Structures are given as C-alpha cells and as structure tokens.
Amino acid sequence: MARTPSPTIPQDEPLYRRVAKDHMDGHGVLAAAIEMPACSFNRSRYSRPDDVIVPEYPTENGIVEITPGELPSPVPRTSGEPYEFFAADDPNDENDAHCEVRIRRTGIPYAKSHKPKKDILMKARAELAKRMRVYRAPT
Amino acid sequence: MPAANMFLTGDCLEPLVKTTVAGPYLASVPEQPSRSDARDGPKVDDFRERVSSRCFCAASAVERVLDQLGDAPDRIVLSRTSGIAFVFLDEARYAMLESDEEGALIGLLCDRSSDSEAETWVVESTGLTAALRKIRSFLGSPHGTHP
C-alpha cells in the first residue's frame, strides 16, 4: 500500500528523473525529454538517484535533477492565461518515491481532465528542461 | 504559392501539390548540408511501430519537406510524449518540430543562454515550410555553411 502523499514537497528537496543521451546535448536537457502537463520524478527523501534507472529503458541511463524551488516561473509570460509549475507528491504501489512536476492555471486547482493548448504544453516542457541539472550524464 | 501544402486525409498527411518549395530559402542553403549525424541517425521510418499512425504520417510529411529543402535536422528522436521530434541544434540555441500522437505539429525555438521564454506554435497544415524557414532564421544556416 502506498504511503499517504505529503501536502507539500520541501523547496530544496532534489527530484530525480532518468534521461536518454538523445534527449540532451552539451548545453543541457531538450524538451523532448519532458512530458507535460505532468512529468514524473522520484523524491530524494524516499529514494536514491539511481532508483530512476530501470532495465525496461536501457538507453535512459542518465539522471537529471531539479528542486521545487528551481521550477520555472509561470508560462506564458507575455500573453495568454498563465500556467504555474508545482511539485506534487504522488506515491503509488510500485514507487513510493513517485512525484510529479505539474502545471495548472494560476490560482485554479490542478485537474487531470484539463488539457492545456499544445503550444503551452511545449513551452512548459522547454522551460522545465532548461532548468534541469545533470546529476549523471547518460552514455 | 505556399510551398509544401499539406492536407489531412484520413489518418495520413498527404501532399496537396507538388512544389519546388521555397525558392528564396533554397537559395540560402546548400543542397547537401553537412549534418551527417542526422543522415546517419534514425529516420522517421525507424519509429513507425512505436508511434500512432497520425504521428507517423505527420512526421513523414516533415521529412519529405526537409528533403525537398535539402535540409536536415541534427537528430530525429522519439520524445517522451510518444511523438517524433526533429531537433535542430546550434550551441545554446535549439529548435524542435514535433509530431504528436494526434498528428499535430508543434514548433519550438529555445535559447538556453538567456532568460527569454521559449517560442512555441502549432504548425498549420500549410505552414510547414514557413515553420522550417522560421527555425533556420532562428538558428542560422545548417552547420558548415557559415563563412
């Protein structure tokens, strides 16, 4: 049985995610490595960085990290309805450390059923990718 | 006439007209860009079994137009959203044209050296050549063509 989700994740807690070499270059992570409106991570409080590596995805052998305090500011910033990033604890039976970085319309609770526009999703992917740090480079 | 007019028919994107795409643009790029990594790397067809038919057809259309333009991305990758992404790299800048599961094409221009927000847009059915031109304008000509 999964543990009860925490209402918040500390701003300085590293969150880890696996990444493939094809989804990076010498300047960082590409938007192709990111899913939105919800992107899975592992919380460092409940796991080790290496736990994100699984045999089912052998090419995804790198590890990237971010903390809730490093999440991008809302997008879009110039025009249109802004979406804010937030980290949500989301443990399940298979992965006690699972959490997600999600986007929601600023001031409106997150809803899985809400589908942001495709260009907004891509913008959010690019902005999150831009802020990820490499913990261990993929090979 | 807009180059590379495309039209959605059923599950597949087919060329509406044959065209000598984007004359002015062709004049600014070489016939054989030296992007050997993309030419030697995965092609759209390599992902056929791993993506939806709509995604595959839209990505195939992008590949065709790139061929017509004599251009090539640095990489073609399967994205984590189960789409096919054409990735164009230029140091801290990169651009992406991604075909998603529904066959929609989304463009991205991102400069990682600045705090400026990434530019993104949904590519209309008649806007593929314009999208590729916009990417080249953002990044510059393919590698090896700089003076």
Side-chain angles (χ1 to χ4, degrees), chain B residues 73-91:
Chain B
D74 289 279
R75 296 178 195 168
I76 302 174
V77 302
L78 191 66
S79 73
R80 286 292 293 264
T81 56
S82 301
I84 296 176
F86 296 77
V87 181
F88 304 80
L89 303 170
D90 186 12
E91 302 295 333

Side-chain angles (χ1 to χ4, degrees), chain A residues 124-135:
Chain A
R125 289 166 61 191
E127 293 302 312
L128 181 57
K130 201 171 168 179
R131 282 157 181 81
M132 308 268 269
R133 284 175 284 107
V134 180
Y135 177 85

Side-chain angles (χ1 to χ4, degrees), chain B residues 12-90:
Chain B
C12 206
L13 199 64
E14 295 178 348
L16 195 61
V17 292
K18 291 192 172 181
T19 174
T20 54
V21 290
Y25 177 69
L26 277 172
S28 67
V29 297
E31 286 185 14
Q32 298 293 330
S34 57
R35 298 203 149 189
S36 56
D37 46 351
R39 292 181 185 280
D40 298 339
K43 305 291 185 191
V44 168
D45 202 48
D46 296 327
F47 301 119
R48 180 191 287 266
E49 304 301 325
R50 301 171 66 185
V51 298
S52 70
S53 59
R54 285 172 183 262
C55 173
F56 177 78
C57 289
S60 297
V62 175
E63 196 170 49
R64 273 199 303 274
V65 173
L66 280 165
D67 281 347
Q68 288 171 347
L69 291 168
D71 201 349
D74 289 279
R75 296 178 195 168
I76 302 174
V77 302
L78 191 66
S79 73
R80 286 292 293 264
T81 56
S82 301
I84 296 176
F86 296 77
V87 181
F88 304 80
L89 303 170
D90 186 12

Side-chain angles (χ1 to χ4, degrees), chain A residues 17-18 22-25 27-28 30-35 60 76-77 118-119 122-123 125-127 130, chain B residues 75 77-81 89 91-92 94 96 98 100 102 104 106 108 111-112 114-118 120:
Chain A
R17 176 176 171 82
R18 64 176 176 270
D22 280 353
H23 290 168
M24 292 191 64
D25 69 355
H27 293 268
L30 304 172
I34 304 295
E35 299 135 7
E60 296 176 358
R77 295 198 284 269
K118 291 175 186 288
D119 57 328
M122 180 63 87
K123 198 180 287 275
R125 289 166 61 191
E127 293 302 312
K130 201 171 168 179
Chain B
R75 296 178 195 168
V77 302
L78 191 66
S79 73
R80 286 292 293 264
T81 56
L89 303 170
E91 302 295 333
Y94 76 98
M96 219 168 77
E98 184 179 273
D100 74 7
E102 296 171 337
I106 301 98
L108 162 72
D111 184 353
R112 290 169 290 181
S114 79
D115 286 334
S116 62
E117 188 174 85
T120 58

Side-chain angles (χ1 to χ4, degrees), chain A residues 8 19 24-25 33-34 36 58 101 106 127:
Chain A
T8 59
V19 69
M24 292 191 64
D25 69 355
I34 304 295
M36 276 289 148
V101 170
T106 302
E127 293 302 312

